[in-house]
Amino acid sequence: MSSTYDIVIVGGGTSGLVLANRLSENPNLQVIVLESGVDLKDDQTTLTPGAWPLLSNSPADWSFRATPQENVTRQIAIPQGKALGGSSAINSFLFSPTSRATVEGWKNLGNEGWDYTVYEEAMKKSFTLHKPSGATEGTGPLQLTLATPETPWEKAWIDGLESVGFPQTDPLSGHLGGPIIAPESIDPSTKQRSYSANAYLEPVRSSRPNLTIRTETTVTRVLLERPSSADDAVAKGVQFISKDGPQTIGVRKEVIISAGAINSPRILELSGIGGAALLQSLGIKVVVNNPHVGENLQNHLFTGLVFEAYDDVHTLDAFFRQQPDVVDTASKDYKAKKRDPLCTSNMITMAQLPLPDLHTEDGHKDLDQLLGSLDPASDASRSPPTTPAFAAAHQAFIRSLLTNPSEAVGNYVFGAAYTPFDKPEDPTYRAPGKYVSIAIELSHPLSRGSVHINSTTPEDAGTNQGLIINPRYLSHPLDLEVLARQVRFTEDIISRAKPLTARLKPYTKRFTDLEATKDYVRQTADGAYHYTGTCSMMPRAMGGVVDNRLRVYGCSNLRVCDASIVPLAPTANPQAVVYPVAELGARFIKEDIL
């Protein structure tokens, strides 16, 4: 292994391997990727779509935990991929692009060059979509499978929502507002997971001598020098720990941190980039004083409802209860015929919908009352050191979506099986009988949390220790109001959607009272695995950590390129956001250094 490289990529996850592929296209660039986890290319649990739930709390998961939440009862687990491919190696496959309005919202924070047309081009460069007709769209490395609504439940979901005024929409259009069958990152020819490791890395790994991959190698800090107090810091290399002990490598051009929304701010702080008070309290020399590092953590909070189905309809309950005969049949079918339920995530029946409750005159009054009592200064004080400018911009963005009947503000995932939403004490519980479940997700949270280090021990950097992760769920009162109204909205939809109700046992509405619904949300809500924002892309004065070309403020040759740069949460699962972010990041780097 060389002691110096042109490009050092910290993290071989979803984004890191996109960068590795695109940057090593130039044979004159010596590129190295340093990844804490292992290579799972032959691991059948990773490759088998229906086995994805088994990957949480496995060696491929960092298994982070949030601090106890003041407004949410449940203990919050934070799975993050620890392997080549990162979270794309353990996620649930859904490729659900965010809305045009969201991307334009990023641009409007001051990020020139992030127009939706540019973003969409980068997204389509990342994938090849295989349509039910046999046609394909795109020529990118990631393989996507798009199904038609074939099962009775899929058809009932689509037809049911159409019957109450929400026609099916194109999941890749950027215009969301109805039911969809979501594309999955599954290769239709093999029925196996397609992710950044086997899509972006494996096809070039053996043919590019200028690309080096090191696994089980944890970066503990970036080595920074500052010629004078007036100059930007310069990355000279990185320090890391491997099975051979502590080592250092140098860099000639750039260091790119692609360690994810939890680990990227950790590496910056360990390197001396962060809030001066925190760094000094831990004995870290302050290289760049930026208290916004690790702030603006955003995630989708969700709860859900369960409805009992008639006994003569088919559901996946027996499979999820792991009844031996059903599991054995599924395994044999997958090996022989590549058939459900192991060849899919079983979560593709979705909808991204507006919230009509807030489009009425009374709804506008409620929203005005809620937001009118919260000026940007008070909102900023709710999550220091958020700036008043960003608090105002964030609030204005959310308000624009909530009041627009054409914009989706909630994400809904339908599944034909029981989900223990109201049993946080036993998430493994599966009720006898047959059910359908609807996960109800707050797409655009106003609550913001943080990720900060509380240890400088190098060995902690490769574990889930040494960090305080506080999402601060429901710290903004509008989030509770909107999510509770989404619960009532969902119950109302189901009660009126005859294609669905024809297959469900009679159901008495539980959530006629809004305050009681809010209590249900507090008791049952959980965090999705969609963390963003901790190294946000926006002007430094507004609270940014990186600029519009992903360069870390105060550093001349250090960038962050992953989900942490996304300043406003996407509408749903972030996989379809991280790939275009990485494609754009690779383009910026090529333009800037070559």
Side-chain angles (χ1 to χ4, degrees), residues 443-487:
S443 289
H444 298 287
L446 267 170
S447 300
R448 297 181 291 270
S450 61
V451 177
H452 292 296
I453 60 172
N454 64 350
S455 167
T456 59
T457 304
E459 287 74 18
D460 283 346
T463 73
N464 60 5
Q465 302 299 302
L467 282 173
I468 298 174
I469 307 171
N470 184 6
R472 302 182 73 249
Y473 291 127
L474 301 181
S475 57
H476 196 295
L478 186 65
D479 289 353
L480 179 60
E481 182 78 17
V482 172
L483 188 51
R485 288 174 183 250
Q486 286 180 240
V487 170

Side-chain angles (χ1 to χ4, degrees), residues 93-116:
F93 304 93
L94 298 181
F95 195 89
S96 48
T98 195
S99 67
R100 175 185 294 268
T102 302
V103 178
E104 294 293 329
W106 305 344
K107 183 192 72 173
N108 293 339
L109 292 174
N111 294 309
E112 183 181 350
W114 283 78
D115 305 85
Y116 183 77

Side-chain angles (χ1 to χ4, degrees), residues 114-403:
W114 283 78
D115 305 85
Y116 183 77
T117 52
V118 174
Y119 168 86
E120 184 180 42
E121 180 183 353
M123 178 178 69
K124 291 186 175 181
K125 185 179 180 181
S126 72
F127 67 74
T128 297
L129 177 69
H130 300 265
K131 301 180 179 181
S133 63
T136 61
E137 178 181 338
T139 57
L142 188 72
Q143 303 301 303
L144 301 180
T145 297
L146 177 62
T148 55
E150 295 176 348
T151 72
W153 282 117
E154 289 171 351
K155 293 177 181 178
W157 175 254
I158 300 293
D159 293 344
L161 287 180
E162 287 187 337
S163 74
V164 294
F166 299 105
Q168 187 173 359
T169 53
D170 178 355
L172 298 176
S173 67
H175 297 285
L176 308 171
I180 62 171
I181 299 298
E184 294 184 282
S185 50
I186 295 172
D187 188 329
S189 65
T190 63
K191 299 296 189 295
Q192 292 185 333
R193 179 188 295 272
S194 180
Y195 66 120
S196 65
N198 61 12
Y200 275 87
L201 177 60
E202 283 307 312
V204 303
R205 190 173 186 174
S206 61
S207 61
R208 294 185 184 172
N210 61 322
L211 175 60
T212 301
I213 306 294
R214 286 202 55 167
T215 56
E216 298 180 82
T217 300
T218 299
V219 171
T220 56
R221 65 186 179 107
V222 180
L223 302 172
L224 297 166
E225 292 184 4
R226 198 163 199 161
S228 73
S229 59
D231 295 322
D232 282 346
V234 178
K236 295 293 187 178
V238 300
Q239 194 172 72
F240 60 88
I241 297 175
S242 69
K243 60 185 178 182
D244 300 320
Q247 297 178 61
T248 298
I249 58 173
V251 65
R252 286 184 285 267
K253 293 186 180 292
E254 288 207 359
V255 173
I256 308 160
I257 300 175
S258 296
I262 306 300
N263 277 317
S264 285
R266 161 150 70 177
I267 293 168
L268 287 179
E269 289 182 338
L270 288 171
S271 305
I273 301 173
L278 171 65
L279 300 184
Q280 290 168 350
S281 72
L282 293 170
I284 297 173
K285 179 183 176 182
V286 180
V287 179
V288 177
N289 178 19
N290 188 341
H292 306 294
V293 172
E295 292 291 323
N296 196 34
L297 176 68
Q298 295 174 42
N299 187 30
H300 299 131
L301 196 66
F302 74 94
T303 181
L305 299 178
V306 177
F307 301 88
E308 191 168 5
Y310 283 115
D311 295 337
D312 61 348
V313 300
H314 174 71
T315 68
L316 295 175
D317 286 286
F319 176 74
F320 285 110
R321 283 195 294 265
Q322 294 291 283
Q323 291 180 201
D325 57 332
V326 175
V327 173
D328 183 59
T329 298
S331 298
K332 290 178 180 177
D333 285 349
Y334 178 69
K335 292 176 182 177
K337 304 172 185 176
K338 310 297 185 187
R339 198 171 66 190
D340 284 343
L342 284 175
C343 68
T344 173
S345 67
N346 300 293
M347 297 172 62
I348 61 174
T349 314
M350 299 175 62
Q352 294 193 45
L353 303 174
L355 187 55
D357 196 16
L358 292 176
H359 302 152
T360 65
E361 184 177 347
D362 287 342
H364 277 280
K365 289 179 180 178
D366 291 345
L367 190 58
D368 289 341
Q369 184 176 3
L370 274 165
L371 292 178
S373 63
L374 298 168
D375 62 36
S378 67
D379 187 23
S381 67
R382 198 179 304 278
S383 180
T386 299
T387 66
F390 178 65
H394 194 187
Q395 182 170 302
F397 170 72
I398 301 298
R399 185 191 187 101
S400 71
L401 298 179
L402 290 173
T403 56

Side-chain angles (χ1 to χ4, degrees), residues 153 305-311 313 315 317 417-418 431-437 494 500-507:
W153 282 117
L305 299 178
V306 177
F307 301 88
E308 191 168 5
Y310 283 115
D311 295 337
V313 300
T315 68
D317 286 286
Y418 178 88
K434 295 185 176 183
Y435 300 85
V436 298
S437 301
I494 297 304
L500 282 167
T501 58
R503 307 174 66 81
L504 300 175
K505 291 183 178 180
Y507 177 85

